[in-house]
Amino acid sequence: MSGFLEIKDSCTGCGICVKTCPVQALSINDNKRAVVSDACTLCSICVDSCPFQSLAVHHSFGGNEEQLAKYSGILVLCEMRNGSPDRSTYELLGEARKLSAGEKEVSALLIAADPSDAPEKLIHAGADRVIVAEHSSFEHFSTEPWSSVLTHVITEYMPEIVLAAATTTGRDVMPRVSKILDTGLTADCTDLKIDADSGMLMQTRPAFGGNIMATIVCDRTRPQMSTVRPGVMKPMEIDTSRTGEVINLQVTDEMTKNRSKVLEFVPSAGDEVDITEAEIVISGGRGMKNPENFSILHDLAHLLGGTVGASRAAVDNGWIEYPRQVGQTGKTVQPKTYLAVGISGAVQHRVGMQSSDTIYAVNKDRDANIFQFCTEGFVGDLFEIIPALVKEIEKRRG
Amino acid sequence: MKFVVAVKQVPDTAEVRIDPERGTLIRDGVPSIMNPFDTYALEEAMKWRDELGGVVTVITMGPPQAESVLKEAISMGADDAILISDRAFAGADTWATSHTLAAAVAELGDVDAVFFGKQAIDGDTAQTGPSVAASLDWPQITFVGKVRELNKDSIIAERYVETGMQVVQTELPVVLTILKDANVPRVPSLRGKMKSRKVQIPVWKLSDLGLTEAETGLNGSPTKVVVTATPEARTGGQIHEGSTEELVSRLADLLLGEGGEA
Amino acid sequence: MNYMLNEDLQAIKEICIEIGEKHILPIRAELDEENKFPREIMNIMAQSDLFTIYIPEEYGGTGMGSMALAVATEELSRYCGGVAVSYAANALGAMPILLMGSEEQKKKYLPQLASGEKLCAFALTEPEAGSDAGGVKTRAIKDGDHYILNGTKQWITNGGEAQIYTVIALTDPERGARGASAFIVEEGTPGFNYGKKENKMGIRASATRELIFEDCRIPAENLISREGFGFMVAMKTLDNSRPGVAAQAVGIAQGALDEALKYSNERKQFGVKINSFQGLQFMLADMGTQIEAARALTYTAAGLIDSGAKNFNKVSAMAKVFASDVAMKVTTDAVQILGGYGYMKEYPVEKMMRDAKITQIYEGTNQIQRSVIAKAMIKEAHRK
Ligand SMILES: Cc1cc2nc3c(=O)[nH]c(=O)nc-3n(C[C@H](O)[C@H](O)[C@H](O)COP(=O)(O)OP(=O)(O)OC[C@H]3O[C@@H](n4cnc5c(N)ncnc54)[C@H](O)[C@@H]3O)c2cc1C
Ligand SMILES: Cc1cc2nc3c(=O)[nH]c(=O)nc-3n(C[C@H](O)[C@H](O)[C@H](O)COP(=O)(O)OP(=O)(O)OC[C@H]3O[C@@H](n4cnc5c(N)ncnc54)[C@H](O)[C@@H]3O)c2cc1C
Ligand SMILES: Cc1cc2nc3c(=O)[nH]c(=O)nc-3n(C[C@H](O)[C@H](O)[C@H](O)COP(=O)(O)OP(=O)(O)OC[C@H]3O[C@@H](n4cnc5c(N)ncnc54)[C@H](O)[C@@H]3O)c2cc1C
Ligand code: SF4
Ligand code: SF4
């Protein structure tokens, strides 16, 4: 085992920790002391539960140092949408630049049928080097060629970190490649940091349906691979003066080999909404005053990749369609983020959204009920706050 | 046809509570359930078995108690089940989990398709399916919203992606991860429940799969969880009053995921 | 309360809960609003073997008996009284065949009912013959190896939805009730048609319809038992199925109590949760107590039937009367606890109140049941 759970002498045998362990590794022995079995996964969940600070997890990091040291730099797997790099790709490049702290080289891998001016855009957005795999068969994403190309590039360039967006593409190809390369992959990260001492990538992600945040390391193997939740990281300001290297990869038959075929791609109609599926829901209530004002919520939702919901008051007034109603007689939603705008927080509304991971509320009434159960509340006039917020987000995104 | 469905026993996250004083996860008394996404995988496999003939075998890797999800699968209509359980498997990340599951699929032999749920509601990674496909060197179709055609040699499925839908055709054997759009899982039957009470579920251990301790469980896992923290509990939240600029700045931080401590 | 349900009963309960949560709850308001028969849900019940429980194993069932049927009906009724009666009416319809049918009739019909491939209904009531079931006018005249049916049955649950009907008709009108006989009539028999579907106050998901017989020829082998035994078949059938109505009532009441408990813990007035008011707590306490008492009586009646007892019509009637009165009271109180919200269609309790009412009326009104109980008691007292 790499590491161990220390149970200090200060343990009183109170038993509080026992209940917290997800794998039932803790028990109290006859000497009234906590003992840990080898089922322990060193997850650290129990550590904070001990009122006497008797628990500590010690990890022993590292594999073959020499081997690990051969890897350097950061590789970003790019995604194209409508002929240009996807927004999530810009976010990954921004994050990669941040992690590189001016030291690590940032490479971007672009797999496309027609890269056009994307390599240049990627350099302006933070890449030092763009590796282009161009082939007529690369029009639509397909697992096997993407996996072959990525595996090849990692083996050849030996990056220490590989980032992809936690999209249906990243979540399809990254686990395949990490298994082929026998290395670790952390899913859906919302925070990445380099540990100052060990130089390792500390990858933080929500799990247990958002009930817990776990920080994960990949200490014995390289590269350290992560998929990153779209919409979370910050792209850097586009810098058209940046220069970099563009490498055209020799696409081999091995790389285009594919047992699958994309017969057809059907773009989604766009407008159909299912508010229960959205990760961000921005809901408006009676405070919105009229249907026209809902357009600012749509703008905001669009910017954040979310969708618009509503209270019954707004729906009953005919300001917005019923399928968007949240609550007792509408839909129950549990997005990662719920923003209630001009909604008082009546119990019938609350039951439809209270299991959202985070709830933010904008309301001009300090005593509005919604402020009693939101994660963070904002007291003010929505007609000032929301338009300013849209501007602010546009500004930050450049 | 020979179909395998991989199911995971998970804590019902809807019931997971945070201890408000200590900020730790309370799992005491939280019921263990079949990963809800796996019920769609199971239904899809059974649907095609009912149409084409054959058997559906459910497998799970987990502690002895995980047998209960296998019994649940049998009560819903699965033909048989295998529990993959050994102390050596404990603490596995998705690499080690998929390595072990792939060995089990290989051991079963002549499998036409392995069905996975979209993701597990506890670990939430959605990585196990594609990694099993990699281990077996089989093609994979992930995020399947609908299986259009399936026969002895090939499959056509709709894969739901951010911008629309891909219709993908590939060869068998194949690994699939199924979305809840695919079907409505059936309710267990009374006879199924009676059968599941009596059935003896075989347990496969490390040695049965020809694996070593180095490639399974905690030892075989390249990733490890070093810290866990709980996001602040939901009580009367922090209320900001102030200038529009201040409010907007904080709200933008939060919405863009840049929010640290206020 | 833990009634120590055995594993089979526990399994039935779990299945009904799953069907209730996943398939009934999301659409019960729509079924109610639109007077819509839950065909899909019947298919799901069939696939989960729920129609097997009252049919013996040798005829394709699982042979679990009255208690099992009561548990299933109760659990389904917690979600929707209308769906539950659509289910339970199958057992009622099958009862004449189960109790008095010939081996051939059992072999022919019971497997189709056990698999849910066909639904079933029981037809006794007529426009002029309600409580006074002896007053039926539908005739069955023997004609060679056929009977010819003429007459109209009214308010038949599952009418128009079932494929197999057990029908009470007079073979010897002179002899009144003693001249009644029971028959099996299949859908599609020439001369057998459906009249209008009723627009009801409650249990609106269930179909209640007229059956119209006009020179409807059925094979003589469809006679159940013997000529003249029809009234006895009907009475035995109802005695056996009454615990089912009681279970339906218990389930509806439990559903309403659950809603009241949930709501009263969320709603705040005067700055506190309304369940902290003693006036309301006393209501909740009475509701819970009455339901437990009704459940105990219902299970006792069902258990008595399963034990093979001959004399259970008194207990069976007691369970039906008590449980249905409890259901009416508890659902009314639940509406009261929800206040104005309870009166609105957005909340389920007003529907439960409407659904509860029928349990006091059908399968023998509570007045008739009280006479039955009293007569049985008086008879017992004077037998010594
Ligand atoms: C049977 C039943 C079922 C119901 N089901 C649902 C349901 O499914 N979903 C649902 O949502 N409701 C439901 N309701 C209605 C519910 O009780 C509330 O009436 C409703 O949620 C109120 O909507 P609201 O918060 O938008 O409006 P209000 O309660 O009127 O609140 C408007 C809020 O906007 C704020 N505001 C106004 N102007 C501004 C401004 N310029 N800037 C900032 N804030 C402003 C006000 O301070 C106020 O807090 C149901 C009611 C019943 C009776
Ligand atoms: C807080 C936390 C964070 C974690 N983060 C990571 C991480 O970032 N990277 C990582 O590699 N591991 C991680 N793990 C470990 C991971 O949860 C386990 O490896 C787990 O065994 C499989 O991953 P999953 O739960 O994400 O399942 P997923 O990959 O999401 O599951 C997909 C499907 O695979 C099948 N499946 C999954 N597990 C089993 C099983 N045991 N038996 C049979 N079928 C199964 C089911 O069909 C399921 O629907 C984490 C664990 C915890 C507790
Ligand atoms: C929704 C619904 C579904 C039904 N399903 C079926 C079915 O599937 N099959 C079937 O055969 N029938 C069915 N019925 C008929 C049902 O069983 C009768 O309605 C019931 O037996 C009462 O008869 P009645 O309505 O004609 O009332 P009546 O007999 O006219 O009674 C009217 C009132 O007089 C009282 N009363 C009558 N006689 C006496 C007495 N002797 N002493 C004291 N009070 C008395 C009654 O209690 C009642 O209060 C159904 C009815 C309804 C409403
Ligand atoms: S909580 Fe701390 S003191 Fe109590 S038993 Fe556990 S380790 Fe010992
Ligand atoms: S570190 Fe995690 S697995 Fe180990 S004893 Fe503590 S809670 Fe259990």
Side-chain angles (χ1 to χ4, degrees), chain C residues 92 122-126 129-132 154-157 200 203 208 358 361-368 371:
Chain C
L92 175 68
F122 175 69
L124 170 63
T125 305
E126 296 182 7
S131 299
D132 181 12
Q154 175 175 275
W155 301 340
I156 305 310
T157 304
K200 307 189 291 291
I203 56 164
T208 311
I358 191 61
I361 299 173
Y362 60 19
E363 299 205 17
T365 66
N366 282 9
Q367 288 70 32
I368 297 291
S371 321

Side-chain angles (χ1 to χ4, degrees), chain B residues 180-243:
Chain B
K180 67 174 182 217
D181 309 70
N183 55 52
V184 181
R186 63 192 73 177
V187 172
S189 72
L190 189 52
R191 288 196 175 95
K193 285 201 176 239
M194 290 158 90
K195 174 179 169 191
S196 77
R197 270 210 309 267
K198 291 186 204 107
V199 72
Q200 283 290 333
I201 293 177
V203 181
W204 286 4
K205 305 200 140 311
L206 188 66
S207 55
D208 297 312
L209 296 177
L211 296 173
T212 61
E213 292 204 9
E215 54 189 325
T216 54
L218 198 59
N219 292 327
S221 296
T223 66
K224 52 178 63 77
V225 180
V226 286
V227 188
T228 53
T230 46
E232 7 19 312
R234 169 137 336 128
T235 48
Q238 196 181 353
I239 308 301
H240 304 277
E241 289 172 281
S243 70

Side-chain angles (χ1 to χ4, degrees), chain A residues 7 10-18 28 33-34 49-52 54-55:
Chain A
I7 298 171
S10 56
C11 168
T12 64
C14 73
I16 288 172
C17 58
V18 173
I28 304 297
R33 264 188 65 111
S49 73
C50 174
F52 308 98
S54 305
L55 298 171

Side-chain angles (χ1 to χ4, degrees), chain C residues 80-97:
Chain C
C80 175
V83 171
V85 72
S86 305
Y87 164 73
N90 283 279
L92 175 68
M95 205 63 82
I97 308 177

Side-chain angles (χ1 to χ4, degrees), chain A residues 185-187 205 207-208 214 216, chain B residues 6-8 35 38 59-61 92-95 97 101 116-120 122-128 223 225:
Chain A
L185 170 63
T186 305
R205 58 174 300 248
F208 285 97
I216 290 166
Chain B
V7 299
K8 186 181 186 189
N35 177 36
D38 298 350
I59 59 173
T60 192
M61 181 188 92
D93 73 353
T94 60
W95 190 98
T97 303
L101 293 177
F116 288 84
K118 180 190 135 203
Q119 68 196 71
D122 55 349
D124 259 355
T125 68
Q127 292 177 176
T128 307
T223 66
V225 180

Side-chain angles (χ1 to χ4, degrees), chain A residues 138-169:
Chain A
F138 295 164
E139 193 189 335
H140 292 295
F141 167 77
S142 190
T143 309
E144 288 181 79
W146 257 249
S147 155
S148 310
V149 171
L150 180 57
T151 307
H152 173 90
V153 168
I154 293 172
T155 321
E156 185 170 327
Y157 290 87
M158 299 181 77
E160 58 184 306
I161 294 172
V162 179
L163 305 179
T167 54
T168 53
T169 296

